[in-house]
Amino acid sequence: MPRTQVAIVGAGPAGLLLAHLLRLRGIDSVVLERQSREHVERRIRAGVLEQGSVDLLASVGLADRLLAQRLVHTGVELLFDGTGHRIPLTELAGRELTIYGQHELVKDLVAARLATGEPLLFDAPVVAVEDHTGSPVVRYVHEGREVELRCDFVAGCDGYHGVSRASVPAGALTAIDHAYPYAWLGVLANVAPSSAELVYAAHERGFALHSMRSPTVTRLYLQVAPDEDLASWPDSRVWTELGTRLARGSGFALRTGEIVDKAVTALRGFVVEPMRHGRLFLAGDAAHIVPATGAKGLNLAVVDVAVLASALSRYYADGDESGLDSYSATCLSRVWRAQHFSWWMTSMLHRPPDEDPFARRLRLSQLRYLTSSHAAATSFAENYVGLPFPEGVP
């Protein structure tokens, strides 16, 4: 039977970055992905990277294209009452943000893995992860046959719907779930951004977000109901609603263009505790989901695998299991901070379906305080640009 030190389930950013970090430490791994390479490299996901994430990618040789093509942001705009208010993130918190499409990052990570010649298998769905507390076995199907892969550890980086977390015996983990009464209608458009920085709009008709992926591609979102019918949103209606929610007194004109992708995604908060069962370690969306409002999902995944790689390095170097034992607590501390910040931003910017005048005025009061208080803006900036990595994690 084939064998490796670490079996990595999932070839998204978390799994691919973990494989690279382990290789730099002399630790063997096999990466298994159920989808095709084309599918993985074209999935439209988040595009906001904290400076800590960029610094890590650069330090391990994965950021050449990112640094050449990224958009650097030093602030964001909060729009309400028809007026935009800029929060100078870098001035307040000393760190910047990078805009770089997650699918572009995945392309970089795939290319880096393939260049090493080490195993990265696409179209290889995992059907079972077994014996978490003994000598783990990962069973997967590839090229028409089932293969059993034995390993020392399994890293479940296969997302919320993946097999890794589902393979844990019932009752061994605690799942904490929160469904928000909102969804986002997200569109990707071949048009130059209408703003130099992200715009978060709190409008009486609901939330809107103007983001971007490149100088020629814009990413935009509208708050809709969780059960919204995508068919009821032709392109003309999308642009009209975006124009209404992003409007202000002067100085802004929404550019419109060809919409190449459109989808409705419900907002949710989800955390599983602990993020480990025996020799199975969960990372990224397999362990936690946050609303995209705070731009934390991809960045949390980066920290998860950085913590895990450091812990595995110490284990293989001298048998030290302390990092593995503290993995879950270390990651969850950051996860819950991100959950709270994302909940706070989501609650402040979205209009609940049953909002009364009292609740609306409370939300506006919070926005006015945030944009007029240096202390409040600094707290917002510190959370938005991302907290420092845990101690001892590069």
Side-chain angles (χ1 to χ4, degrees):
M1 296 180 187
R3 180 175 180 82
T4 190
Q5 290 173 298
V6 182
I8 300 175
V9 185
L16 292 167
L17 178 56
L18 176 61
H20 189 82
L21 295 175
L22 293 178
R23 178 179 176 274
L24 293 178
R25 292 163 167 83
I27 301 170
D28 294 332
S29 66
V30 173
V31 183
L32 303 169
E33 169 57 48
R34 67 185 182 91
Q35 301 286 2
S36 67
R37 177 181 179 181
E38 179 184 19
H39 179 90
V40 168
E41 293 185 341
R42 295 183 63 180
R43 283 187 296 206
I44 302 301
R45 293 290 187 271
V48 179
L49 288 169
E50 298 171 357
Q51 184 170 325
S53 298
V54 174
D55 290 346
L56 174 63
L57 291 166
S59 71
V60 297
L62 293 172
D64 289 351
R65 197 165 71 98
L66 182 158
L67 294 174
Q69 299 182 8
R70 67 175 177 162
L71 303 176
V72 177
H73 287 190
T74 61
V76 296
E77 183 181 22
L78 300 179
L79 171 64
F80 59 95
D81 287 340
T83 302
H85 306 263
R86 184 175 186 271
I87 306 294
L89 300 172
T90 304
E91 177 185 321
L92 294 169
R95 294 187 293 281
E96 63 192 20
L97 292 173
T98 286
I99 307 299
Y100 187 69
Q102 180 173 310
H103 63 290
E104 298 296 338
L105 176 59
V106 168
K107 292 178 185 177
D108 299 340
L109 295 171
V110 168
R113 179 66 174 185
L114 293 177
T116 68
E118 297 191 12
L120 167 55
L121 304 182
F122 294 102
D123 298 305
V126 172
V127 295
V129 180
E130 301 169 345
D131 199 7
H132 303 137
T133 58
S135 299
V137 176
V138 176
R139 292 196 290 114
Y140 66 95
V141 176
H142 186 56
E143 296 180 343
R145 67 188 184 94
E146 185 172 297
V147 182
E148 290 190 359
L149 174 64
R150 295 192 177 276
C151 54
D152 300 330
F153 300 97
V154 179
C157 305
D158 50 346
Y160 178 80
H161 297 288
V163 69
S164 296
R165 191 182 70 253
S167 71
V168 177
L173 304 177
T174 299
I176 304 168
D177 208 347
H178 176 72
Y180 289 82
Y182 325 108
W184 279 11
L185 168 60
V187 301
L188 194 70
N190 284 332
V191 60
S194 307
S195 171
E197 296 177 328
L198 276 69
V199 179
Y200 288 84
H203 192 272
E204 62 182 10
R205 294 178 62 86
F207 168 76
L209 171 61
H210 175 285
S211 183
M212 61 283 293
R213 287 295 177 267
S214 75
T216 59
V217 177
T218 302
R219 185 70 162 155
L220 305 119
Y221 299 93
L222 287 167
Q223 174 190 342
V224 295
D227 59 352
E228 196 77 20
D229 181 6
L230 188 60
S232 67
W233 285 90
D235 293 1
S236 58
R237 184 186 177 192
V238 170
W239 288 121
T240 298
E241 192 64 26
L242 283 166
T244 298
R245 298 189 194 184
L246 292 170
R248 75 279 307 283
S250 61
F252 179 86
L254 179 65
R255 298 187 178 106
T256 62
E258 177 194 17
I259 293 177
V260 295
D261 185 76
K262 189 187 304 180
V264 173
T265 304
L267 299 191
R268 69 182 310 171
F270 172 81
V271 181
V272 65
E273 298 181 344
M275 291 169 54
R276 171 190 185 181
H277 182 253
R279 289 176 169 254
L280 167 66
F281 293 82
L282 302 173
D285 287 357
H288 43 73
I289 301 287
V290 293
T293 325
K296 295 301 171 202
L298 174 56
N299 295 290
L300 286 175
V302 169
V303 175
D304 286 351
V305 297
V307 172
L308 183 54
S310 294
L312 288 168
S313 179
R314 294 198 296 275
Y315 171 80
Y316 281 112
D318 54 23
D320 179 4
E321 297 191 29
S322 61
L324 298 174
D325 292 338
S326 63
Y327 166 76
S328 185
T330 299
C331 293
L332 285 172
S333 175
R334 192 183 191 92
V335 167
W336 280 113
R337 175 87 293 274
Q339 286 284 4
H340 180 267
F341 179 68
S342 300
W343 166 84
W344 174 76
M345 276 196 72
T346 302
S347 302
M348 178 175 63
L349 292 166
H350 290 69
R351 182 179 181 181
D354 56 351
E355 184 177 51
D356 59 32
F358 182 81
R360 172 162 176 75
R361 283 162 176 76
L362 290 180
R363 288 198 303 111
L364 289 173
S365 175
Q366 179 62 54
L367 283 164
R368 291 170 185 143
Y369 175 63
L370 172 57
T371 54
S372 62
S373 164
H374 184 272
T378 300
S379 177
F380 169 85
E382 288 177 346
N383 282 274
Y384 193 88
V385 301
L387 303 175
F389 275 31
E391 185 177 354
V393 177

